Amino acid sequence: MPATELNRFTLPNGLRVVLAPDPTAPVVGVSVHYDVGFRSEPEGRTGFAHLFEHLMFQGSESLEKLAHFRHVQSSGGTFNGSTHPDYTDYFEVLPSAALERALFLEADRMRAPKITEENLRNQVDVVKEEIRLNVLNRPYGGFPWILLPPVLYRTFPNAHNGYGDFTELEQADLDDCAQFFDTYYAPANAVLTVAGDLDVDATRELIDRHFGDVPHRPAPDRPSFAEPPPTTELRDEHLDPHAPLPAFAAGYRMPDPINDLDGYLANLVLAAVLAEGDGSRLQQRLLHREPVVTDVGAACGLFGPFEARDPDTFIVTAMHSPEVDQARVLAAVDEELDTLASTPPSEQELAKVTARWAAGLHREHDRLVSRTLAFGSLELLYGDPGLVHRLPDRIASVTPDAVAAAAKALRPDARAVLTVTPAGGNQ
Amino acid sequence: MTTSYRTAAEIGRTELGPRPLPALGEQRSATNLSSVDTVLDNGLRVIAVHQSAVPMVELRMRIPFAGTDPAHAAVAEVLAETLLTATERRDRVAIDTDLALVGGELSAGVDPERLSISGNALASGFDTLLDVLADALTGAVYLDDEVVRERDRLVERIAVARSQPSVIAREALQRHRYGDHPYTREMPDADDVAAVTAERVRELHAASVLPRGSLLVLVGDIEPNDAVARIASAFGGWRSDRSAVELPDLPEVTGGDLLFVPRAGAVQSQLRLTAEAIPRTDPRYPALQLANLVFGGFFSSRLVENIREDKGYTYHARSYPEFTPSGATLLVEADTASEVTAPALLEMRYELARLGVVPPTESEVDTVRQYAIGSLLISTGSQTGLASQLAALAAYGLGVDWLVDHPARLAEVTADEIAEAALHFYAPARFTGVVVGDEAQVRYLTALGGVRSA
């Protein structure tokens, strides 16, 4: 990975800043990561963190409703935001002439978002449409990210639906919003990242000018979401009125992504050895040698890697014809894990994984939006944005024995299996 | 909930009050691209571009791949699924291993117009990437058991896809616009797929996987002339006197009633409106592109601000041009809650008419112009974005020059030209389309008019 020179500093109000200059293209990325995701939303308010993300686009003291979008787009830029288990991010990518404008927009809503009853009700409607589109009206909606956690986890933060229940979304009121903002959207609970075509000194000055007077509020204590792993196989079934084929997700607990990074990376490599590419173990066996599934996958994290703190989830998913017994597919998964546990993968198998990971990281790094967000999330979760440059080497140094140990830890008697069963007219 | 926090009203104001928006700074322009655009002896057009921000190379291949046989889509789909599974020199695992060791991947897909192959690798593995691809193009063997397996998987995946409301709406729209033209066969029938044999796939490969008239785009940490030489050498054995098969011209889309397609149990409706438009080569295209942005082409558009941000009818609404072999169409789409289907359609029609009779304002024009220029800069700033853009343009005879010159074209369009494009292309009477949804909505749609049931 070509290492970008990173500048890190913290403003007196606690805002952490990462600057990553790179003059390749005359464009710049700006992101703000707040250290709050849907695992932190209050009980009785499922979906609130995501709803609040929508509200942050609805205007602030200096910006009327819709002005944010217009100012970014009339500068030639794009924007978005997204809510994750442990953080919420907001970003703009723009021609570099618009850098100060993007900083102004982010500072204004960090200082004084305008949250009104009218906008709240409008965005509850928009979020409900988003949920209908992405979950309720489509086959395998919410599979596995909404459906698996309540089987694998017992505590509210880990188990609940981050998109939210319609009734609870409708109950959200302005006081919920005010309390959520004052608690979690403090500058001391956030990371600002600027990457791309920028001058470090000039950008630092602009950041001081726009963010310097956002008042300090203490960052909230971050609770541990730890809970004991399951001691038996947990199971549940979801009837899907739109799904044409049965599917399942097996979820396992895995090493702490932050405090046991080596253990976590061994699981990343394991996921690739199992199901990345035609030569991978599960694809070879279940798709080709004894074709019993339509699709099989293995992954770390419900939204992808480097997204969450502990506890995090290792997932194996498969979709298969109704004639195939689920037990047969699960038994094959267990056998492949046992084989890997007793006979570590070959050096060549790991070389394939390592090269593909390096290439994948390069490709991601080539897109300014991904690069900006990666620096921001790694600063937030690891306090180490430069980790992105070292990941290829860290992954390359995962040993066959470490992968075997990771496979050995994925036990059938300590996992959750969520089954999706087709139920209905298939329309 | 608690009193130890500020109220929402207190949060929304500071002592200083609202602040002025900073002006834009000085814009640096993009650096020049070094590229080669040439046709090899075998008739393959090659575009190679140097862009070295990361040590990767992106590959896009487009082979015109039309067919009029009703089962063509099925055979073509199985071919795309099995093209990269075995050659005379490599089996499935060897292909994956060779690619993986250079951080590479290749995948193939097919639509009614063309066979598309996309891939990438570490730049150090460029020769391996080319070798594996050339091996498949000249030596794919389509083993019987591979074909049978992929065919069976495909049948299942088609069932999954056809249960998606967006696919149901797309298929209904294509039939509504183009009848049984081959362009409508975006997804084959499961029965046709089940009947595909390895022999049929081999025949189709021999007849249609042809270099003449096809396109290869490479973008990355490569030197363009050197890349072309390596490609010429790797693809030297891929030859034919015949040309790749282009799709027959499409009939023009004419305005008319929307077709209502019932979907029992739907909680959301799909609205899909369409009208004939113009390709990028038409001198009016930049004006149409900007008029479309004002209408529904980005978030700050009239349609999105109306039906999403004002009324909350939808999460997703947009309008975009779709380029077809013989021209282009406009597509306007939104997914809405069932009970607001008719109100959403009413607003869509209102915005269509309004775009012509209340033309884009000066500020709207400024916004979309900046947006179009800036987003082009951003989307072509990465290897993947540039490779995909070039592949899309080159399929219609355009190339790097068009991309480089387009910001100037956008800068020169006048407000009058945009108003003219808006008035002509967005006239509601030019549109037709489909609505997929719950039958209970029909009475409201019927009351609106211009909607019929099958």
Side-chain angles (χ1 to χ4, degrees), chain B residues 225-236:
Chain B
N225 284 305
D226 172 60
V228 171
R230 291 200 214 183
I231 292 161
S233 140
F235 289 75

Side-chain angles (χ1 to χ4, degrees), chain A residues 96-117:
Chain A
S96 38
L99 169 60
E100 184 175 5
R101 197 169 268 197
L103 295 172
F104 172 84
L105 297 173
E106 287 301 345
D108 209 60
R109 64 178 165 185
M110 183 182 288
R111 185 167 40 238
K114 212 164 12 186
I115 303 164
T116 67
E117 184 63 27

Side-chain angles (χ1 to χ4, degrees), chain A residues 250-373:
Chain A
Y252 305 81
R253 295 285 295 273
M254 58 184 290
D256 182 338
I258 315 295
N259 297 308
D260 180 9
L261 183 57
D262 286 326
Y264 179 78
L265 294 177
N267 278 261
L268 271 190
V269 173
L270 172 63
V273 167
L274 284 174
E276 171 78 39
D278 272 340
S280 60
R281 305 268 176 126
L282 289 177
Q283 288 206 14
Q284 254 304 300
R285 174 165 176 182
L286 296 175
L287 280 172
H288 306 304
R289 222 165 46 234
E290 41 186 281
V292 292
V293 302
T294 312
D295 263 312
V296 62
C300 295
L302 291 159
F303 299 85
F306 309 107
E307 280 268 319
R309 301 188 175 100
D310 189 61
D312 202 359
T313 313
F314 189 99
I315 310 141
V316 176
T317 54
M319 192 182 290
H320 55 89
S321 105
E323 285 94 65
V324 172
D325 191 4
Q326 182 195 82
R328 180 173 169 197
V329 184
L330 272 172
V333 171
D334 288 334
E335 278 171 32
E336 292 302 326
L337 286 170
D338 283 346
T339 305
L340 275 168
S342 56
T343 315
S346 71
E347 293 289 347
Q348 192 193 53
E349 245 178 318
L350 295 197
K352 286 162 59 179
V353 170
T354 302
R356 279 224 166 108
W357 258 98
L361 288 164
H362 285 315
R363 291 183 89 211
E364 221 181 286
H365 207 70
D366 192 35
R367 291 183 63 236
L368 181 56
V369 56
S370 322
R371 182 160 79 236
T372 309
L373 290 174

Side-chain angles (χ1 to χ4, degrees), chain A residues 11-128:
Chain A
L11 299 190
N13 60 14
L15 179 66
R16 283 158 287 169
V17 182
V18 180
L19 302 183
D22 170 8
T24 307
V27 288
V28 69
V30 173
S31 68
V32 178
H33 286 71
Y34 292 95
D35 198 336
V36 59
F38 57 73
R39 282 209 272 212
S40 298
E41 58 202 10
E43 269 189 74
R45 288 291 179 272
T46 56
F48 192 80
H50 171 240
L51 173 64
F52 194 81
E53 174 224 308
H54 276 242
L55 290 172
M56 286 291 281
F57 285 96
Q58 296 293 309
S60 49
E61 184 175 37
S62 312
L63 297 157
E64 290 174 22
K65 181 179 166 89
L66 303 181
H68 182 95
F69 311 122
R70 287 175 186 155
H71 290 320
V72 174
Q73 297 194 317
S74 69
S75 315
T78 59
F79 61 86
N80 214 335
S82 58
T83 310
H84 304 249
D86 289 329
Y87 62 84
T88 306
D89 60 38
Y90 301 85
F91 62 87
E92 295 79 37
V93 175
L94 324 91
S96 38
L99 169 60
E100 184 175 5
R101 197 169 268 197
L103 295 172
F104 172 84
L105 297 173
E106 287 301 345
D108 209 60
R109 64 178 165 185
M110 183 182 288
R111 185 167 40 238
K114 212 164 12 186
I115 303 164
T116 67
E117 184 63 27
E118 189 189 348
N119 289 340
L120 173 60
R121 299 276 75 94
N122 164 263
Q123 290 304 308
V124 167
D125 285 346
V126 169
V127 166
K128 282 162 69 178

Side-chain angles (χ1 to χ4, degrees), chain A residues 110-161:
Chain A
M110 183 182 288
R111 185 167 40 238
K114 212 164 12 186
I115 303 164
T116 67
E117 184 63 27
E118 189 189 348
N119 289 340
L120 173 60
R121 299 276 75 94
N122 164 263
Q123 290 304 308
V124 167
D125 285 346
V126 169
V127 166
K128 282 162 69 178
E129 285 314 299
E130 181 179 350
I131 295 170
R132 287 193 178 103
L133 180 75
N134 289 335
V135 181
L136 302 177
N137 201 37
R138 67 162 53 167
Y140 311 105
F143 174 78
W145 77 273
I146 294 174
L147 301 173
L148 182 61
V151 195
L152 180 61
Y153 295 101
R154 275 178 290 173
T155 60
F156 173 82
N158 296 320
H160 80 272
N161 172 1

Side-chain angles (χ1 to χ4, degrees), chain A residues 23 58 61-62 70 73-74 97 122 129 137 176 179 182 213 278-279 288 294 321 356 363 366 427, chain B residues 1-2 6 14 19 25 27-28 58 92 96 104 120 149 156 263 298 300 305 309 335 337 370 383:
Chain A
Q58 296 293 309
E61 184 175 37
S62 312
R70 287 175 186 155
Q73 297 194 317
S74 69
N122 164 263
E129 285 314 299
N137 201 37
D176 295 329
Q179 174 168 349
D182 263 357
D213 75 339
D278 272 340
H288 306 304
T294 312
S321 105
R356 279 224 166 108
R363 291 183 89 211
D366 192 35
Q427 280 291 305
Chain B
M1 267 159 78
T2 155
R6 293 179 291 170
T14 66
R19 305 167 190 221
Q27 182 60 47
R28 190 163 72 78
E58 287 291 327
R92 185 189 275 273
D96 185 57
N120 59 78
R149 221 160 40 231
E156 291 182 335
R263 179 170 173 260
F298 72 148
S300 301
E305 292 195 351
E309 292 301 297
D335 292 18
Q370 285 301 326
Q383 293 175 354

